Amino acid sequence: QVQLVESGGGLVQAGGSLRPSCAASGRTFSSYNMGWFRQAPGKEREFVTAIRRSGGSTYGSDSMKGRFTISRDNAKNTVSLQMNSLKPEDTAVYYCAATYGTIWRPSSMDYWGKGTLVTVSS
């Protein structure tokens, strides 16, 4: 079993940057594909980005690919999300998730963190 704890959210002005991180417990972190999702008020949870065991990454949209970068450190059991050029529409709770699979739907994730709030002011 894996426990995930996010940190690093906060309030930032439009155009700014944040780097939320997710710390995972357990000795099998390197076995999981790791992802980030987000959920804005009144909206469904949305796929942001993911990084596979091998290190390859995928993004939920071209806009995210150009502004967000996911990385992982298997020695430290962490996965991070560097977010640049933030926009007010990026405001959401950001969730870390883990899965053995490669289908990036909320229903396909095996483990979830509790989320960290990112607020982007205009």
Side-chain angles (χ1 to χ4, degrees), residues 76-118:
K76 296 182 178 179
N77 284 11
T78 59
V79 59
S80 299
L81 178 63
Q82 178 67 44
M83 303 191 294
N84 299 325
S85 303
L86 284 162
K87 306 174 182 180
E89 51 264 43
D90 293 318
T91 295
V93 177
Y94 283 71
Y95 296 92
C96 178
T99 179
Y100 278 120
T102 56
I103 297 176
W104 296 101
R105 288 193 301 260
S107 60
S108 298
M109 297 300 102
D110 296 304
Y111 301 101
W112 289 95
K114 293 184 178 181
T116 185
L117 177 62
V118 171

Side-chain angles (χ1 to χ4, degrees), residues 30-65:
S30 61
S31 301
Y32 289 92
N33 297 316
M34 301 297 299
W36 287 93
F37 290 75
R38 69 184 183 185
Q39 189 164 17
K43 295 188 176 181
E44 294 186 350
R45 196 164 295 191
E46 174 187 29
F47 171 64
V48 176
T49 182
I51 187 165
R52 293 183 286 280
R53 292 181 288 272
S54 62
S57 58
T58 186
Y59 294 86
S61 69
D62 288 341
S63 173
M64 294 175 185
K65 184 177 182 179

